Amino acid sequence: MTRYKKIKPLIATFILSGLLYLIFDSAKLFYCINISFIIIITAPIIYYRLLKTNWSNFKKSEIKQLVFITIFFSIIFLPLLQQLTTFISLSEINNSFNEKRKLADFKLVDKADLKELPDKFTTYYNDNFGMRKFLITTNNYVKARYFKISSKPQAIIGNGEWMFYNSQGSLADHQGKKHLNKAQLDKIKNTLIERKKYLTKKGIKYFVAVLPDKMSIYADHLPSNYNLVDTTRLDQVLSSLKNTNIPIIDLRDALKTEANNKLLYQVNDSHWNKNGGFIGAKEIINMLRQEFKNIPAPYSVDNFKITEKDKRGGDISMLLGIKAFSDNSSFIYESNEKVGTKKAMHNSLYNFYKQNYKATFIYEKQNKSLPKILIFNDSFVSYIHSFLGDYFSRSVFLWTHDFRKDIIQREQPEIVLHIIVERSIEELGKSAAYKNIPN
Amino acid sequence: MVFSSTIFLFLFLPMVLLGNAFLPKNLRNSFILFTSLFFYAWGEVELVYVMITSISINYLFGIIIDKTTNNRSLSLLIGVVLNITILFYYKYFNFLLDNINGIMDLKGEQALHIEGLHLPIGISFFTFQGISYIVDVYRKEAKAQINPVNIGLYISLFPQLIAGPIVRYNTVMDQIQNRSTKLTGIFYGIKRFAIGFSKKIIIANTLAQVADDIFNGSYDHISVETAWLGIICYSLQIFFDFSGYSDMAIGLGKILGFDFEENFNFPYIAKSIKEFWRRWHISLSSWFRDYLYIPLGGSRKGNTRTYVNLFIVFLCTGFWHGASWSFIFWGLFHGAFLMLERAGFDKLLEKSYKPIQHFYTLILVIVGWVFFRVEEFGDALTYLARMFGISKKTKDFVWLDYMNNYQTLILVIGLIFCLNIPKGWTWLENKTGEFTKHKLYIEIKTWSTLAIILLLFFFSSSEIANNTYNPFIYFRF
């Protein structure tokens, strides 16, 4: 009996701490075992040295206190233990985590003089303390799952598991709090007119396609208190371009109609998915076919074998360090022989987006009677380029919103198409300086 | 270093607890003194010398006052003046110069100003502790301390260094010299620390976002509702922040074996301003009572002197909180109503309906906080005008423009926990009858309380971890 008494607090500690972490790290039993193991090792040391508990005359009320103290100590000691040892492996969390910046190095502290040491060390420590990723993920998970809030203004938690991306003023735009003024609208209009003039001189046709924000299509899934309005910056731009002859296509209506039948956007990612891309491609091709009759009619969905893709952690949930949200909203489209998509090629000369990230896609087809196309685009194109690539003899997708005259010169396309996501609409009026690529 | 930082929670605190547990008893005081100075130097760097100077002055004057038989009052006077001088120089000198500039109309190059004068954190707290020590020695209520480590520890003890409570020498000296850590003490201390930590992180920080949004904007077009929402959130923020800090200090003290006195006792349930000051920042009001009000004569020298004394005390209370006219006004505002109550209004108040008493107190306290929160006096008046509907044109109030669901939940929780919940719970238990005395009920109650405290603490610590998370967000993904 006395023996049992000795280990009773340990068992209780084990069970309670296991439960605690189980709640927080939904069903990651593996961590619980690890952490409980640590607790079991540390607990006797803490009891023995810190409390000098006499094991033999142990009061029942003290069990509660011991369990409580142990769990508290394990919460504050674990970060230190994890930093000093590699005992607790959190590799799965580490891999699901991308802060997209270089974390502070200990060199920072090494070089600091005494006066700036506290600041420098704090910077270093805040980027490197043990259990950091576990704690961040847990915190964001609990907030998103149970309280529907996010700790980053760029991530909006909607109904169910829906997440929305708020950037470049997109939320304010949809709430009617952000408008373009006359000067901004004129800037966009004049830029586009100028571009069209430039291209017409070269015998090239110019088209613009605007892809809607996720919140334009799935506004129902936003938190109900957001009071969305119907007229956004895109509507302003469209009406200001009405009397010009710039062919601009707004995909909202087409996508809204289809949105009732299937998922067109990824649930916790800022982008659409292949379903959305497929519809987008169809609409764009129909627009281009009015000018270029030899472009084949858009393929029907029957030409593809569609399977669900297992993907966890879209870019918005990764922004919160969460990978745990399930997301069954990505699809793979495999074409049959009739369509026969070729694999995309890359051209490192055209890699403007990020050095190591192959963001250029080039498709070529045997049928040289088809027109050549040059497309300016952003990340949304990842879900559409494989479809569009099928309709042209050469399709070059450039990940930039800069109007690259150097590449137009080089590629000599018949069509220049600018694909832009709704929230970036102001980019249409911007003309940034760029360095010409070498010829 | 602040309690709500990763360095404190995951590095400093574990190290101190380990050191304290493993070092032999006779080294523990030196160890805690060293860690306290380190704690201070971490945030204030070279200003730690200000603290060391303060310790030295009070150590020396304690002995001088104790040893001399003649001119004890003079020694005390010099000691107090030295303490006040340090405080005045760092906290109020630029304020004084600014006012001189204002009166003399000095501008630009001519203006008097000391550049780079940085306020050492906690200076108001440790100066007061120093003064109370030498006064106690003078009054022969305490013996002068020969061991400088003990005096150093008394003045710089890290749990209460930054935000109180203001500890009295007599309360802690026995514990400094001889203390024992018991399981129950550690248990209670941890519980207290975890509760205070959660109060600060979960309630105060969350409501601070709402309050900051409103107070940092322009007051020109805010509606009545917005103004009230802002000040209510601020009232809760300051209470949970400050009392959370006190809880953490008391808790940490307990873990190390010290007993600090309570600093808050549900101030927002007070029924008069007088009662409010018995429940709010108790260690400060009792300090002013013992070391200012009573030496001035208290209420023993006739009515006029009493009012003058009260005026002085509240002038000092306001000024103690910060070097600006707003704080002085805030202090005098409270003082004025306290005097009014003393002049007979309290009798009237006591006869009235209880909710009226609460309403009266809360309104005054809340109005007072406006002066506390808004830096410029004129802006504070504008804000008050908005609160009471005196305004030009206001925007419509949309609750959810200011508050998300989580913040709303926290606001409600904050409002509930201003009340004396433990007392209410006991009352409820007595009302509901026998089953609350059942063993099972008691077991469930204690275990679930502990589990909730741990969950909140864990969530709060993950919150401070999350504050370090700054992903670089690409313009385009």
Side-chain angles (χ1 to χ4, degrees), chain B residues 39 78 104 107 130 146 151 192 213 235 240 286 309 312 356 365-366 397 419 426 441 469:
Chain B
F39 176 90
I78 298 172
M104 312 269 289
K107 276 179 196 132
I146 309 297
I151 275 298
R192 200 64 196 272
D213 270 358
S235 304
F240 283 101
S286 60
N309 292 346
I312 295 172
I356 292 177
V365 169
I366 287 174
F397 176 72
L419 305 173
T426 319
Y441 167 80
Y469 176 57

Side-chain angles (χ1 to χ4, degrees), chain B residues 59-218:
Chain B
Y59 171 69
L60 287 176
F61 274 86
I63 293 175
I64 293 172
I65 294 167
D66 198 39
K67 296 284 177 237
T68 51
T69 39
N70 307 323
N71 292 330
R72 292 179 82 236
S73 318
L74 184 68
S75 314
L76 174 70
L77 187 70
I78 298 172
V80 172
V81 166
L82 280 176
N83 271 305
I84 300 274
T85 308
I86 297 175
L87 177 64
F88 186 83
Y89 175 73
Y90 281 101
K91 194 163 178 176
Y92 302 107
F93 202 54
N94 269 337
F95 174 67
L96 179 75
L97 293 182
D98 284 348
N99 281 302
I100 294 173
N101 291 339
I103 295 164
M104 312 269 289
D105 204 22
L106 300 174
K107 276 179 196 132
E109 290 275 304
Q110 281 180 309
L112 304 167
H113 191 78
I114 299 178
E115 286 300 325
L117 197 60
H118 170 77
L119 179 69
I121 195 165
I123 189 168
S124 317
F125 288 94
F126 67 72
T127 305
F128 270 37
Q129 292 198 180
I131 294 174
S132 77
Y133 163 66
I134 54 174
V135 172
D136 284 357
V137 172
Y138 172 80
R139 288 176 180 169
K140 299 199 188 262
E141 285 168 9
K143 278 195 77 78
Q145 180 58 249
I146 309 297
N147 186 347
V149 171
N150 291 355
I151 275 298
L153 204 52
Y154 162 65
I155 290 178
S156 71
L157 197 58
F158 79 86
Q160 39 86 344
L161 183 52
I162 289 182
I166 301 170
V167 174
R168 297 292 182 78
Y169 179 74
N170 276 339
T171 337
V172 288
M173 195 33 72
D174 288 344
Q175 297 156 16
I176 287 180
Q177 280 158 345
N178 185 23
R179 65 181 176 279
S180 60
T181 39
K182 290 208 182 72
L183 183 68
T184 320
I186 295 175
F187 168 72
Y188 177 79
I190 288 175
K191 211 163 87 175
R192 200 64 196 272
F193 177 80
I195 290 172
F197 193 76
S198 313
K199 273 162 92 173
K200 157 84 182 140
I201 303 291
I202 299 177
I203 302 183
N205 284 4
T206 306
L207 295 179
Q209 296 161 2
V210 184
D212 287 349
D213 270 358
I214 295 172
F215 279 101
N216 294 343
S218 141

Side-chain angles (χ1 to χ4, degrees), chain A residues 169 171-179 226-227 229 231, chain B residues 400-401:
Chain A
L171 180 63
D173 184 15
H174 288 268
Q175 288 182 313
K177 290 178 188 167
K178 191 179 169 91
H179 301 288
Y226 275 22
N227 298 325
V229 295
T231 319
Chain B
L400 291 153
D401 275 0

Side-chain angles (χ1 to χ4, degrees), chain A residues 375-388:
Chain A
I375 300 173
F376 297 109
N377 57 254
D378 46 40
S379 57
F380 269 62
V381 88
S382 310
Y383 303 88
I384 195 174
H385 61 75
S386 62
F387 299 125
L388 286 179

Side-chain angles (χ1 to χ4, degrees), chain A residues 401-417:
Chain A
H401 288 310
D402 296 338
F403 191 70
R404 300 285 302 225
K405 290 182 183 170
D406 53 341
I407 299 177
I408 295 172
Q409 197 65 36
R410 203 182 143 98
E411 286 290 331
Q412 301 286 339
E414 276 108 330
I415 307 168
V416 167
L417 169 65

Side-chain angles (χ1 to χ4, degrees), chain A residues 153-196:
Chain A
Q154 291 84 358
I156 299 167
I157 313 292
N159 303 332
E161 300 207 321
W162 283 81
M163 291 184 177
F164 293 86
Y165 185 52
N166 175 27
S167 147
Q168 293 166 285
S170 51
L171 180 63
D173 184 15
H174 288 268
Q175 288 182 313
K177 290 178 188 167
K178 191 179 169 91
H179 301 288
L180 297 176
N181 57 32
K182 180 93 174 36
Q184 286 167 315
L185 287 169
D186 284 347
K187 182 100 196 296
I188 293 173
K189 187 163 109 182
N190 295 335
T191 312
L192 294 183
I193 289 174
E194 203 181 292
R195 285 177 188 173
K196 189 177 159 78

